Structure formats: C-alpha cells, structure tokens
Amino acid sequence: PCAGPVENKNEAAMSEMVPEPRQKPVVPMKPIGINASLLGYIGIDTIIEQMRKKTMKTGFDFNIMVVGQSGLGKSTLVNTLFKSQVSRKSSGWNREEKIPKTVEIKAIGHVIEEGGVKMKLTVIDTPGFGDQINNENCWEPIEKYINEQYEKFLKEEVNIARKKRIPDTRVHCCLYFISPTGHSLRPLDLEFMKHLSKVVNIIPVIAKADTMTLEEKTEFKQRVRKELEVNGIEFYPQKEFDEDLEDKTENDKIRQESMPFAVVGSDKEYQVNGKRVLGRKTPWGIIEVENLNHCEFALLRDFVIRTHLQDLKEVTHNIHYETYRAKRLNDNGGLPPMTVETEENHESNL
C-alpha cells in the first residue's frame, strides 16, 4: 500500500529532471495589407487624440537653464521666449551689491497654460558665471547641479515603492550665451561647452546681436561654428542622434545655417505700422524681436518650443540621463548606495 506514493514521488522527480522539449520560436506572420474600405473604419488613429487628452490632463515638465556672463540679457530673453515674467531680473544683483564669489544656482518654477495645455516650466539661472577675474572651473557648480538632478531621478526610479509619475527636475536644455565680441570664443566658453556638452543639451546663442552689423554677425556666426568644430564640441542637435533622413536634413540646416542663434530679447511692446510688436527702441528705429530681418529670435523660439521641445526631453532622458544612470549603477555594482532614508523606506515597505 505504501509503494504507490513513493512511485509517484519518483515519477515526479524523474519528470523534473527530464527537460521539456523546446518549443520552436513562433515566426511572426508578415503583415498583410488589409483593404480598409472592405472592413470599414477601425479607429486606430484615435490613439493620437487619446495621448493628447492624457498629456493635457497631466501637463508636462520643461526645465531650461541659462548660462552666461551678467549683462547679456539672459533673463530678458527667457521672458521673451515664454511671453511672461518667468525669469526674475532680480536673480542678478544691483550695483550696490557685491558680485557673488561663486556661481549660484537659482531655479524658478511656473505653470504656463496655453490652449488647454499645461507646462510646468522651471528656469534655472546661474548668476556669477564668468564674472570673476579668475573664472577657473566656474562651470563645476553647474555640472554638479545637473548631475544632482539625474541622481534625484535615479533614486526615485530605483525605489521599491516608486511614484507613478516621478517629478522631473532634470535640465532639458541649456542656453549658453556668447558675448557679441565679433572676435572669437573665449577660453571660458570653450571649456564650459567642452565639459557640459557631454551631460546636457547645449544650444549656443549670440546675445545682444543688435550690437553687430549684419556682416559682422554672419562672420561671427561662421567663426563660432568653426571653433566649436575644431575643438570637437557637440552642441544640440547632435549629429549621431538624428533618427532618420528627414531629421538629418532638418537638423543639418540648423547646424550649418542657424547655429549659434544671434538673438535680441525684449519684453517691451511698441507700435509699428499699427501693429503691437516686442522690440527694442534705438535712435535709428525699433528693432523688432520677432522680425527675421532684424534678428533670429523667432528661429530660436520655433526651434526650442515649436519643433524640438519633445526631442530635447527625449535626448535628455534616453542619452544624457541613460549615460549617467549606466555609469552610476556600474560603479556601484547595481544600485545606488542605501541611505538611511532609503533603508527606512525599504523596511516600511516590507
């Protein structure tokens, strides 16, 4: 009577040892062209509308950093870009105040709404950059800040009980302001872009372009492009991230003609031929900010907001953050070190 269960056990043990025959991988069928008119409307195209509705409900984050010496109109330009006071001019300093000894990082957050779409915009200003006599390594606090945001995101991502939507404070775009000298880039400009282009999307901008003649502007733009190329500095959009021929054609035009954008910013309105325009008043007339014959502000605005905003976010996530994440996990054998805070979270989850 006892033999039954023993035999059954042996059989079970044997069946565990004998590997099951491997199933052949299923070869996917070739897609067959379906005559839609025969079957009628399916509704696959509504996915775009569904995605739009979801995005409109949740809104999205966009974090833009401005870097350059004081007096180049960084705050004004960002205010002009988003047509509102998103960057406080007081983030600099008055003449009575002392110039900061080191670079400060000031982040100001806003929610901008247009056409039912909400954007959580953060403007990160860097007062004190390049204003000292000795500007050695003054990009270090900026690089540290950018990496800290990647670290913050990574810690949230590897949490056991992670948030459904991780707050995104990563810097998606860095506008680097070049002084309109008409000569060449300063060593500081080259050093900054060399160090930072590996960790953030840098868009070079020639500030206060109305201080140069058209010939000087064209010549200076060509010189800057040449210097960046000679020094092996990759700015956004990087050649290797062009996904298809259409992207490559569009981005090549930007890289070879538009970059660096020679811009003028202004948040003051004037009447020109019966129309209200943003501009700067000079003894010779009004420089219209959004007039392409006057400056390239409209090109920069269209590039950053209307055509490449989503791509800036994707390159930040898929390239810069991924590079940071891979290095961090690799150095650490898999995970960031357990801090007291993460240990407590871990225990409470258990």
Side-chain angles (χ1 to χ4, degrees):
C2 298
V6 173
E7 276 172 21
N8 289 349
K9 272 186 190 170
N10 288 343
E11 275 174 29
M14 285 290 285
S15 68
E16 275 175 24
M17 287 168 72
V18 177
E20 285 182 16
R22 266 181 140 185
Q23 288 183 334
K24 284 185 180 177
V26 180
V27 178
M29 282 175 67
K30 282 185 181 173
I32 301 161
I34 299 171
N35 185 347
S37 61
L38 188 76
L39 298 173
Y41 177 66
I42 304 165
I44 298 164
D45 57 353
T46 60
I47 185 75
I48 304 296
E49 184 56 25
Q50 293 170 42
M51 288 159 76
R52 194 181 76 87
K53 275 185 180 170
K54 216 160 180 108
T55 309
M56 281 174 81
K57 267 185 204 167
T58 53
F60 63 95
D61 303 294
F62 186 59
N63 309 317
I64 185 168
M65 178 182 259
V66 286
V67 181
Q69 275 179 296
S70 60
L72 289 179
K74 300 187 295 294
S75 303
T76 307
L77 187 86
V78 175
N79 288 342
T80 318
L81 266 179
F82 296 101
K83 295 206 167 157
S84 51
Q85 298 292 320
V86 289
S87 184
R88 288 191 212 122
K89 300 223 174 123
S90 59
S91 61
W93 47 87
N94 303 322
R95 284 180 185 179
E96 295 79 47
E97 293 175 24
K98 284 183 180 175
I99 293 174
K101 284 277 187 289
T102 56
V103 178
E104 294 174 13
I105 309 280
K106 296 190 175 186
I108 307 159
H110 301 268
V111 175
I112 297 179
E113 198 166 335
E114 187 178 55
V117 180
K118 264 191 292 199
M119 175 162 85
K120 291 164 194 145
L121 173 73
T122 304
V123 177
I124 302 119
D125 200 355
T126 53
F129 177 84
D131 291 332
Q132 298 296 325
I133 292 167
N134 178 11
N135 290 305
E136 203 179 351
N137 299 346
C138 68
W139 61 82
E140 281 178 358
I142 296 169
E143 188 172 20
K144 183 170 172 274
Y145 177 86
I146 292 166
N147 284 329
E148 274 169 4
Q149 307 321 304
Y150 291 148
E151 182 66 20
K152 207 185 277 185
F153 196 89
L154 177 62
K155 278 186 174 161
E156 285 286 355
E157 217 178 32
V158 298
N159 256 348
I160 294 165
R162 62 183 182 182
K163 293 169 185 163
K164 188 181 172 187
R165 195 165 176 268
I166 299 169
D168 192 1
T169 59
R170 297 170 298 180
V171 180
H172 299 125
C173 166
C174 171
L175 292 181
Y176 186 77
F177 285 69
I178 296 162
S179 192
T181 58
H183 298 294
S184 53
L185 290 171
R186 297 170 307 160
L188 174 62
D189 300 329
L190 293 169
E191 281 297 320
F192 177 89
M193 289 192 258
K194 211 175 272 182
H195 279 84
L196 274 286
S197 60
K198 294 176 182 69
V199 296
V200 71
N201 294 319
I202 289 184
I203 297 175
V205 165
I206 297 168
K208 301 203 165 178
D210 53 328
T211 59
M212 293 188 283
T213 65
L214 292 175
E215 292 78 20
E216 284 171 343
K217 188 166 72 180
T218 308
E219 203 179 297
F220 188 43
K221 277 169 68 107
Q222 286 170 351
R223 196 173 295 165
V224 169
R225 276 199 294 272
K226 187 85 189 124
E227 283 190 47
L228 292 173
E229 194 185 322
V230 166
N231 286 278
I233 294 164
E234 283 273 323
F235 51 80
Y236 177 84
Q238 298 92 328
K239 282 177 195 161
E240 65 264 38
F241 307 148
D242 293 343
E243 288 185 4
D244 53 37
L245 193 61
E246 193 189 341
D247 275 7
K248 190 186 181 306
T249 310
E250 189 187 341
N251 290 341
D252 273 347
K253 195 168 184 290
I254 291 161
R255 285 186 285 257
Q256 289 157 20
E257 294 172 25
S258 306
M259 290 280 184
F261 296 98
V263 295
V264 177
S266 172
D267 40 20
K268 289 190 172 67
E269 283 188 350
Y270 295 96
Q271 287 276 345
V272 176
N273 301 329
K275 275 167 71 182
R276 281 163 65 215
V277 297
L278 286 170
R280 279 171 61 81
K281 198 170 186 182
T282 71
W284 305 274
I286 288 163
I287 294 155
E288 296 168 43
V289 166
E290 296 187 29
N291 184 337
L292 282 174
N293 296 323
H294 293 198
C295 81
E296 292 164 356
F297 169 81
L299 288 178
L300 173 69
R301 192 247 346 262
D302 289 358
F303 176 62
V304 171
I305 299 170
R306 299 182 187 181
T307 61
H308 284 67
L309 191 144
Q310 182 57 27
D311 190 61
L312 281 161
K313 284 167 68 73
E314 281 174 16
V315 171
T316 300
H317 182 73
N318 300 330
I319 311 292
H320 297 305
Y321 169 67
E322 207 54 40
T323 306
Y324 178 86
R325 180 181 164 276
K327 186 181 182 304
R328 191 79 175 76
L329 296 182
N330 204 25
D331 291 352
N332 240 353
L335 283 174
M338 273 276 205
T339 60
V340 176
E341 190 185 326
T342 51
E343 273 175 23
E344 282 169 6
N345 287 347
H346 182 63
E347 281 163 20
S348 65
N349 286 327
L350 291 174

